Amino acid sequence: MPQQLTIGLFGFGSVGSGIYHLLKKKTIPNIKLKTIVVKNPDKPRSKNAEHFSYQPKDILEDEDINLVLELIDDADAAYSIVKKALEKRKHVITANKKMLAEHFQELTSLAQKQNVSLLYEASVCGSIPVIRTLEESFGQDSIKSLRAISNGTCNYVLTRLFQNPQPFDRIITDAQKHGFAESDPTLDIDGWDSKFKLIISNYHAFGVLNTPEDILNLGIRHVKPEDIEFAKEKNFSIKVLGHSELNDDGLNAFVAPQFIKNNNLLTSIEFENNAVQIDAEFAQQQLLQGKGAGSIPTASAVLSDVVSLLRDYTYSYSKAETSSSEFNPAQQIKVYISSYDKEDLVPFKFKTEILCGTRKHLQYKIGKLSIKDLKEQFEAQSAKVFVAVFPD
Amino acid sequence: MPQQLTIGLFGFGSVGSGIYHLLKKKTIPNIKLKTIVVKNPDKPRSKNAEHFSYQPKDILEDEDINLVLELIDDADAAYSIVKKALEKRKHVITANKKMLAEHFQELTSLAQKQNVSLLYEASVCGSIPVIRTLEESFGQDSIKSLRAISNGTCNYVLTRLFQNPQPFDRIITDAQKHGFAESDPTLDIDGWDSKFKLIISNYHAFGVLNTPEDILNLGIRHVKPEDIEFAKEKNFSIKVLGHSELNDDGLNAFVAPQFIKNNNLLTSIEFENNAVQIDAEFAQQQLLQGKGAGSIPTASAVLSDVVSLLRDYTYSYSKAETSSSEFNPAQQIKVYISSYDKEDLVPFKFKTEILCGTRKHLQYKIGKLSIKDLKEQFEAQSAKVFVAVFPD
């Protein structure tokens, strides 16, 4: 057990400044923030320049520092920092889901080899203790499925659309104005962010590790008012879910908008909130709900990781050690595909076609195909189609 | 860290047989169930008599056994077992909320003194990791409030009443028939069970310890169809909540039915499900939802405690160590009080009377008074009044 945690903090953006304020506010015995490294000396910040260093080596080569908080945006730079920190036998806490999803195996193995902890509660659904709960409370349970509303931007946009169906472009501009969408919202609205989170949580839930290339991610860029009206009429909500389900055929995992019946608790999760629905063999259905983003809520998850290191906490990865489950994208799903142009629907070939329809100017069809085929067909086309999973 | 956990199990009822089956199903290295002690040799059980002992000493005086699972109903006998086990320096895991609430200080101090762990995740809301989450994820956060639907029987009954307002006696009989209420449902429907859970969780959330005598518990024994109709008309649900709120005046804590606006997530928690809403300074609003009872779900929480002992887990009680908060029952609350007989309402003296009304044969009034006064006035009367907290 470390006698003293001496912290080097990379990044002073939303989460970095958040953890700075929390560590300043709470005086926790044996925890000391020593150095903050930021990239750009000229960027205006809420603290004076004297508090900052600009050289990664000021943390990485400081032998006093035994814990690195990696809280920068750039996934490639984050990877390089985390790797070096682990090589220097420093514990690492990170919130960078993209970096983790892309280098998971390498970094977790390196941490294990170096006998240090690599913790990342804040990387999945911000303040919600998803990873810790999967590790500690359900580590010996068999998870049957995990369904997560893990992207606040998508959920905010969909909530607003269900209040008032309107063109996507109008609502995303408004979301940006209110701070619920980035100036380039691609990672969020196309499901990438949710995919990175799904890859991380799946390893803890099922012991299955995927690369970002393995997993289909569908988003809401091309959702239309008529899609929303169609859902409302049939008593559905639409939520973008990270969906993972383990059955006899293996692990079925993808990110996609889904039609969900309005009696499901997930449909009560509104605006920027996140939630994870866990169906476990023993504990049965659980739901964790909370803030998935924001400076202080996300920093609270980083803080819980910091404190856990005082007790020498490290993930046990018990599922990865015991599970023989495998990813299987050959499983069939039922999907709804829509566009204003009927031609756009042609590239999608169903194994079983169930329904074709129109609504005002909208053309849609519902049918079944494998996740693998859907991924290939979706990625091969460039039309403005909206694709959502439809319940069986 | 114990090299090997050798378990002695007391009790083979719902949770006891549940954990027996889980331990049999999961082969976990370094965990072995050695002895099961039950009270009554003649009671029919799913296992043969050869599996059981009938003498507590077969566990308590077995030096091999270093972990006692106390899963019997009788709170007094449980207290005696747990105390002896701790004195013998055995770790203890218990699900007995009544026993814990009545002897909390003594037993936690004894465990600390003996340098063993006393864990009880299953005692609060069954499978939902309430204690672990408060300890590990929010141990450094400041909890502002905790609102728990922690009694499945009350929630089942209220859900059914909101589907179809009808006399309480009829619905409780039906709940008993379906296994959602005990043959003597007093502990559940009068709010005792929720009170024990509130006492335990408040210590972890706020560092404040109460005795059962301190805390007001109101239940649903005298809820009437007209109360339900009144709530529905005004767009409220009624839920029995363990309610704790820390403000500048101290900790405000009680168990009572509450009128809750239908946009609150707690109103989506139906039937026998449990949920805990945590409002924390940093993490903000969180909700944990799941099965609060049942053989296997509750045993899953016991199992998570067992496994955590392999890593030498013990509660840190960080709030109790740092908090100077005190229980303050002088705080005012707004309540709704109803009865078919107007005279029944007379003993309740409001500081501020807000409204008197009738609905069919029902008489009701709404007003403000202190929790302390309400407790005294409620306990001094014996009429069939229904009392519920009304939002400000």
Side-chain angles (χ1 to χ4, degrees):
Chain A
M1 194 179 296
Q3 296 299 303
Q4 163 87 35
L5 288 171
T6 303
I7 298 176
L9 166 62
F10 282 94
F12 204 74
S14 166
V15 187
S17 64
I19 188 70
Y20 171 83
H21 288 294
L22 295 193
L23 288 172
K24 217 174 127 185
K25 180 158 188 173
K26 298 297 258 191
T27 314
I28 306 168
N30 305 320
I31 291 180
K32 196 184 80 184
L33 175 59
K34 186 176 178 188
T35 308
I36 306 171
V37 165
V38 293
K39 194 174 163 195
N40 184 351
D42 303 323
K43 192 165 163 184
R45 292 190 175 84
S46 58
K47 305 297 305 167
N48 288 339
E50 64 200 279
H51 289 84
F52 300 109
S53 298
Y54 305 95
Q55 299 296 331
K57 73 172 173 48
D58 291 348
I59 287 175
L60 295 170
E61 290 175 18
D62 183 339
E63 294 202 350
D64 254 19
I65 290 174
N66 55 0
L67 168 58
V68 168
L69 308 187
E70 181 290 297
L71 301 170
I72 67 176
D73 272 345
D74 178 336
D76 294 334
Y79 165 65
S80 153
I81 288 167
V82 169
K83 193 172 168 183
K84 278 182 203 145
L86 295 173
E87 282 167 351
K88 294 274 184 188
R89 288 189 174 259
K90 299 179 193 303
H91 300 293
V92 172
I93 293 169
T94 176
N96 201 312
K97 56 223 75 166
K98 182 167 188 284
M99 183 270 293
L100 283 168
E102 286 170 344
H103 305 281
F104 198 88
Q105 184 77 69
E106 182 194 356
L107 295 177
T108 54
S109 302
L110 179 58
Q112 220 153 1
K113 184 182 142 218
Q114 298 291 83
N115 201 22
V116 289
S117 292
L118 171 62
L119 304 178
Y120 39 79
E121 185 60 76
S123 70
V124 179
C125 298
S127 67
I128 311 176
V130 180
I131 304 296
R132 194 71 66 92
T133 302
L134 288 171
E135 277 280 305
E136 299 308 307
S137 300
F138 304 130
Q140 299 298 326
D141 206 334
S142 301
I143 310 292
K144 295 192 281 187
S145 72
L146 210 65
R147 300 173 85 204
I149 296 175
S150 59
N151 185 272
T153 303
C154 285
N155 208 49
Y156 176 87
V157 166
L158 287 168
T159 305
R160 293 283 307 276
L161 287 175
F162 269 76
Q163 287 176 337
N164 175 20
Q166 58 190 290
F168 179 81
D169 289 347
R170 196 190 301 160
I171 200 86
I172 194 76
T173 309
D174 195 64
Q176 285 165 329
K177 212 170 65 191
H178 288 88
F180 293 115
E182 306 277 347
S183 54
D184 175 4
T186 305
L187 280 184
D188 295 314
I189 63 171
D190 290 334
W192 293 91
D193 174 78
S194 291
K195 173 156 89 170
F196 302 140
K197 292 165 177 167
L198 172 138
I199 288 172
I200 298 166
S201 50
N202 274 5
Y203 193 62
H204 292 271
F206 306 103
V208 176
L209 183 60
N210 287 110
T211 65
E213 293 70 38
D214 295 337
I215 304 284
L216 168 68
N217 57 298
L218 301 171
I220 55 170
R221 188 184 288 272
H222 299 306
V223 67
K224 292 160 289 295
E226 293 84 351
D227 298 315
I228 305 293
E229 285 158 10
F230 174 87
K232 286 179 89 158
E233 204 178 274
K234 298 193 158 18
N235 210 20
F236 285 113
S237 283
I238 299 176
K239 298 284 182 189
V240 173
L241 297 188
H243 181 115
S244 308
E245 202 184 328
L246 187 63
N247 55 39
D248 292 346
D249 296 326
L251 184 72
N252 188 354
F254 54 84
V255 172
Q258 294 201 23
F259 287 82
I260 308 176
K261 273 283 175 207
N262 278 334
N263 57 4
N264 186 304
L265 215 49
L266 285 175
T267 63
S268 324
I269 311 301
E270 295 191 318
F271 295 104
E272 77 279 16
N273 287 300
N274 280 197
V276 181
Q277 200 170 48
I278 301 168
D279 191 10
E281 186 187 354
F282 306 150
Q284 301 182 20
Q285 284 244 335
Q286 300 265 331
L287 184 101
L288 313 176
Q289 182 265 355
K291 292 272 173 270
S295 169
I296 299 295
T298 308
S300 82
V302 175
L303 182 66
S304 76
D305 278 350
V306 171
V307 173
S308 76
L309 280 175
L310 284 177
R311 304 173 71 169
D312 236 2
Y313 184 71
T314 191
Y315 301 137
S316 66
Y317 298 109
S318 58
K319 294 293 166 56
E321 275 174 27
T322 55
S323 155
S324 57
S325 307
E326 284 187 21
F327 176 60
N328 179 8
Q331 297 191 47
Q332 304 261 314
I333 45 171
K334 187 168 164 187
V335 292
Y336 161 102
I337 305 178
S338 77
S339 173
Y340 287 131
D341 184 348
K342 203 169 182 175
E343 286 306 302
D344 292 346
L345 306 184
V346 175
F348 293 92
K349 312 285 183 207
F350 290 143
K351 280 267 189 300
T352 326
E353 177 125 348
I354 290 160
L355 189 71
C356 274
T358 60
R359 185 184 177 92
K360 296 183 191 163
H361 299 291
L362 188 78
Q363 312 286 324
Y364 67 88
K365 61 180 187 181
I366 296 175
K368 287 186 171 185
L369 76 177
S370 75
I371 297 163
K372 189 169 169 290
D373 289 346
L374 177 60
K375 185 167 185 289
E376 280 170 20
Q377 292 169 23
F378 183 81
E379 289 169 1
Q381 60 84 45
S382 59
K384 295 187 171 181
V385 291
F386 173 65
V387 182
V389 172
F390 208 83
D392 249 334
Chain B
M1 192 178 298
Q3 295 301 301
Q4 164 86 36
L5 288 171
T6 304
I7 299 176
L9 165 63
F10 282 94
F12 205 75
S14 166
V15 187
S17 64
I19 189 69
Y20 171 84
H21 288 294
L22 295 193
L23 288 171
K24 216 173 127 185
K25 180 157 188 173
K26 299 294 260 194
T27 312
I28 306 169
N30 305 319
I31 291 180
K32 195 184 82 185
L33 174 60
K34 185 177 178 188
T35 309
I36 305 171
V37 166
V38 293
K39 194 174 161 195
N40 183 352
D42 303 323
K43 193 167 163 183
R45 292 190 176 84
S46 58
K47 307 295 307 167
N48 288 339
E50 63 202 285
H51 288 84
F52 299 109
S53 297
Y54 305 95
Q55 300 296 331
K57 72 172 173 51
D58 292 347
I59 287 176
L60 295 170
E61 290 175 18
D62 182 339
E63 295 200 351
D64 254 19
I65 290 175
N66 55 1
L67 168 58
V68 169
L69 307 188
E70 180 289 295
L71 300 170
I72 67 176
D73 272 343
D74 179 337
D76 294 333
Y79 166 65
S80 151
I81 288 167
V82 170
K83 194 174 166 181
K84 277 182 205 144
L86 295 173
E87 283 166 351
K88 295 274 186 189
R89 292 191 171 254
K90 299 180 194 300
H91 300 293
V92 173
I93 293 169
T94 174
N96 201 312
K97 55 224 75 163
K98 182 166 189 284
M99 183 272 292
L100 283 167
E102 285 170 346
H103 305 281
F104 199 87
Q105 184 77 70
E106 182 195 355
L107 295 177
T108 53
S109 302
L110 180 58
Q112 223 153 359
K113 186 183 139 217
Q114 299 291 82
N115 201 23
V116 290
S117 291
L118 171 63
L119 304 178
Y120 39 80
E121 186 61 75
S123 70
V124 178
C125 299
S127 68
I128 310 176
V130 180
I131 304 296
R132 194 69 67 95
T133 302
L134 288 172
E135 278 281 305
E136 300 308 308
S137 299
F138 304 129
Q140 298 298 325
D141 207 332
S142 302
I143 310 291
K144 296 193 280 186
S145 73
L146 211 65
R147 302 173 84 204
I149 296 175
S150 57
N151 186 271
T153 302
C154 285
N155 209 50
Y156 177 87
V157 166
L158 286 168
T159 305
R160 293 284 307 277
L161 286 175
F162 269 76
Q163 288 175 336
N164 176 20
Q166 57 189 291
F168 179 81
D169 288 347
R170 197 189 300 160
I171 200 87
I172 194 76
T173 309
D174 195 62
Q176 285 165 329
K177 211 169 64 190
H178 289 88
F180 293 115
E182 305 277 347
S183 54
D184 175 4
T186 304
L187 280 184
D188 294 314
I189 64 170
D190 291 334
W192 293 91
D193 173 78
S194 291
K195 174 155 89 171
F196 302 140
K197 292 166 177 166
L198 173 137
I199 288 172
I200 298 165
S201 51
N202 275 4
Y203 193 63
H204 292 270
F206 306 102
V208 175
L209 184 59
N210 287 108
T211 65
E213 293 70 38
D214 295 337
I215 305 284
L216 168 68
N217 57 298
L218 300 171
I220 54 169
R221 188 184 288 273
H222 299 306
V223 67
K224 293 160 290 294
E226 293 84 352
D227 298 315
I228 304 294
E229 285 159 10
F230 174 87
K232 287 178 89 157
E233 204 176 275
K234 297 194 161 14
N235 210 20
F236 285 114
S237 282
I238 299 176
K239 297 284 182 189
V240 173
L241 297 189
H243 180 114
S244 308
E245 202 184 329
L246 188 64
N247 54 39
D248 293 345
D249 296 326
L251 185 72
N252 188 356
F254 53 84
V255 172
Q258 295 201 24
F259 287 82
I260 308 175
K261 273 283 174 206
N262 276 335
N263 57 3
N264 186 304
L265 215 50
L266 284 175
T267 62
S268 324
I269 311 302
E270 294 191 318
F271 296 104
E272 78 279 16
N273 288 299
N274 279 198
V276 182
Q277 201 170 48
I278 300 170
D279 191 10
E281 186 187 353
F282 306 150
Q284 302 182 19
Q285 284 243 335
Q286 299 264 333
L287 185 102
L288 313 176
Q289 181 265 358
K291 292 271 173 271
S295 169
I296 298 296
T298 308
S300 82
V302 175
L303 182 65
S304 76
D305 278 350
V306 171
V307 173
S308 75
L309 280 175
L310 284 177
R311 303 173 70 171
D312 235 1
Y313 184 71
T314 189
Y315 300 137
S316 66
Y317 297 110
S318 58
K319 294 293 164 56
E321 274 174 27
T322 55
S323 156
S324 57
S325 309
E326 283 188 19
F327 177 58
N328 178 8
Q331 297 191 47
Q332 304 261 314
I333 45 171
K334 189 168 165 187
V335 292
Y336 161 102
I337 305 179
S338 77
S339 173
Y340 287 131
D341 184 348
K342 201 169 183 177
E343 287 305 304
D344 292 346
L345 305 184
V346 176
F348 294 91
K349 311 288 183 203
F350 290 142
K351 280 265 188 301
T352 324
E353 177 124 351
I354 290 160
L355 188 73
C356 273
T358 59
R359 187 187 174 93
K360 295 182 191 164
H361 300 292
L362 187 77
Q363 312 286 322
Y364 67 88
K365 60 181 188 180
I366 296 175
K368 286 186 171 186
L369 76 177
S370 74
I371 297 163
K372 189 169 169 289
D373 288 347
L374 176 60
K375 185 168 186 287
E376 279 170 21
Q377 292 168 26
F378 183 81
E379 288 170 0
Q381 60 84 46
S382 59
K384 296 188 171 179
V385 290
F386 173 65
V387 182
V389 173
F390 207 83
D392 251 333

